[in-house]
């Protein structure tokens, strides 16, 4: 969760910064996952390039692929050379738009740094992508031809879209895209897949492709830097810690089973999320898992047992 930037709206903005998982624990978890047949891992933060074992982990697990969400500012020539040498990392660099939009959120000079990072990766033949958070302010722009053509020319292979969720650092409900904006983005992404030379994916609007929400160990879970295991990167609740239990034991927890047993959450797979689309599912899972603010390892902000988080 350590990071060299301080961006508003960061989902991880309120996590503790002082702890890191050591290499031995991460190595053990990856091996346990591979024993289950899992060979694709997502690394996020904070900023993953601040973790001193990142390259060692990639090299140790050369039979697996790692998608790395990064702000891109620490991808220098040496790091780009290592990604090219190893060939099993896909950096996905966070952008808000172009220079003004990105620097307004991430700090002056950030856009130039990530632009240079993309050039380094393209020149070395590294597959990379972008990651964009859709807000009420930029929803239409980040799926525009102008935006996509620019990043296509930069060499982007995959583009990820995430609907803004009001959690983390300074949550703001007014930044959430409206339902109409969310639907516009959904339809626009379908067009983009037919017309642009890049893969694009939307973490919410593609619920129809994933048979709904993946959280709670159905096909996905999130381990944070303290070792706590969350059902989803945006869902800040944890019943177990990977330092104390195996991956298999965590997956069989009542908390995670509560998510899986309720699938599908509704008949409309365009509304898959337990936080913003089906909040009662999250509230019920928290209750069934025996979680309360008192037992939370890292705290839940504005939690009310009657209404849930928020």
């Amino acid at each position: 969760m350590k990071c060299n930037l301080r961006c508003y709206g960061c989902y991880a903005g309120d996590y503790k910064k002082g702890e890191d998982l050591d290499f031995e624990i991460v190595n053990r978890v990856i091996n346990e996952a591979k024993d289950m047949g899992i060979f694709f891992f997502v690394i996020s933060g904070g900023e993953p390039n601040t973790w001193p074992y990142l390259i060692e982990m990639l090299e140790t697990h050369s039979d697996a692929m790692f998608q790395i969400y990064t702000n891109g500012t620490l991808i220098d020539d040496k790091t780009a050379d290592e990604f090219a040498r190893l060939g099993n990392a896909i950096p996905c660099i966070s952008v808000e738009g172009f220079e003004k939009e990105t620097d307004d959120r991430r700090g002056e000079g950030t856009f130039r740094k990530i632009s240079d990072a993309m050039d380094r990766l393209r020149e070395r033949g590294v597959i990379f992508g972008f990651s964009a958070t859709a807000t009420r302010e930029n929803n239409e722009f980040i799926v525009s031809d102008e935006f996509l053509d620019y990043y296509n020319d930069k060499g982007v292979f995959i583009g990820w879209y995430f609907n803004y969720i009001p959690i983390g650092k300074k949550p703001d409900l007014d930044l959430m895209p409206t339902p109409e904006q969310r639907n516009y983005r959904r339809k626009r992404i379908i067009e983009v897949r037919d017309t642009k030379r890049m893969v694009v994916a939307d973490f919410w609007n593609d619920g129809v492709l994933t048979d709904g929400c993946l959280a709670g160990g159905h096909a996905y879970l999130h381990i944070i830097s303290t070792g706590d295991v969350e059902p989803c990167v945006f869902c800040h609740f944890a019943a177990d810690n990977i330092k104390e239990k195996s991956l298999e034991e965590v997956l069989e927890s009542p908390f995670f089973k509560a998510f899986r047993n309720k699938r599908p959450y509704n008949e409309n797979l365009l509304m898959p999320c337990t936080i913003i689309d089906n909040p009662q599912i999250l509230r019920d899972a928290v209750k069934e898992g025996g979680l309360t603010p008192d037992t939370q390892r890292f705290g839940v902000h504005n939690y009310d047992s009657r209404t849930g988080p928020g």
Side-chain angles (χ1 to χ4, degrees), residues 166-167 171 173 237 275 282-283 300-304 307-310:
I167 58 173
L173 288 169
F237 293 86
I275 302 173
L282 173 56
R283 295 166 189 152
V300 176
H301 297 282
N302 301 324
Y303 181 81
D304 187 298
T307 60

Side-chain angles (χ1 to χ4, degrees), residues 35-55:
D35 287 342
M36 297 177 182
I38 299 167
F39 289 84
F40 179 77
F41 302 87
V42 176
I43 310 297
S44 61
E47 171 49 49
N49 284 294
T50 65
W51 192 53
Y53 309 107
L54 181 63
I55 298 302

Side-chain angles (χ1 to χ4, degrees), residues 220-263:
Y220 163 70
L221 55 78
H222 179 230
I223 302 172
I224 69 173
S225 59
T226 62
D228 287 319
V229 189
E230 302 173 333
C232 165
V233 68
F234 298 102
C235 186
H236 294 182
F237 293 86
D240 295 305
N241 190 288
I242 204 66
K243 297 176 183 177
E244 302 163 357
K245 294 186 178 182
S246 69
L247 188 59
E248 183 176 1
E249 288 174 315
V250 171
L251 287 166
E252 293 303 310
S253 71
F255 183 44
F256 275 21
K257 283 185 175 180
F259 285 90
R260 300 200 295 272
N261 291 341
K262 291 176 172 59
R263 299 183 81 259

Side-chain angles (χ1 to χ4, degrees), residues 165-216:
I165 301 293
I167 58 173
K169 187 178 182 181
K170 297 181 180 179
D172 185 351
L173 288 169
D174 291 334
L175 284 174
M176 291 183 67
T178 65
E180 292 78 12
Q181 285 183 308
R182 187 168 159 185
N183 193 44
Y184 173 86
R185 193 174 74 245
R186 177 187 68 85
K187 293 188 288 186
R188 176 63 182 143
I189 283 175
I190 293 173
E191 296 175 356
V192 168
R193 286 174 175 149
D194 290 335
T195 58
K196 304 297 180 184
R197 295 183 58 195
M198 69 171 67
V199 179
V200 288
D202 190 308
F203 202 74
W204 280 262
N205 285 330
D206 282 335
V208 292
L209 303 181
T210 60
D211 193 29
C213 178
L214 303 177

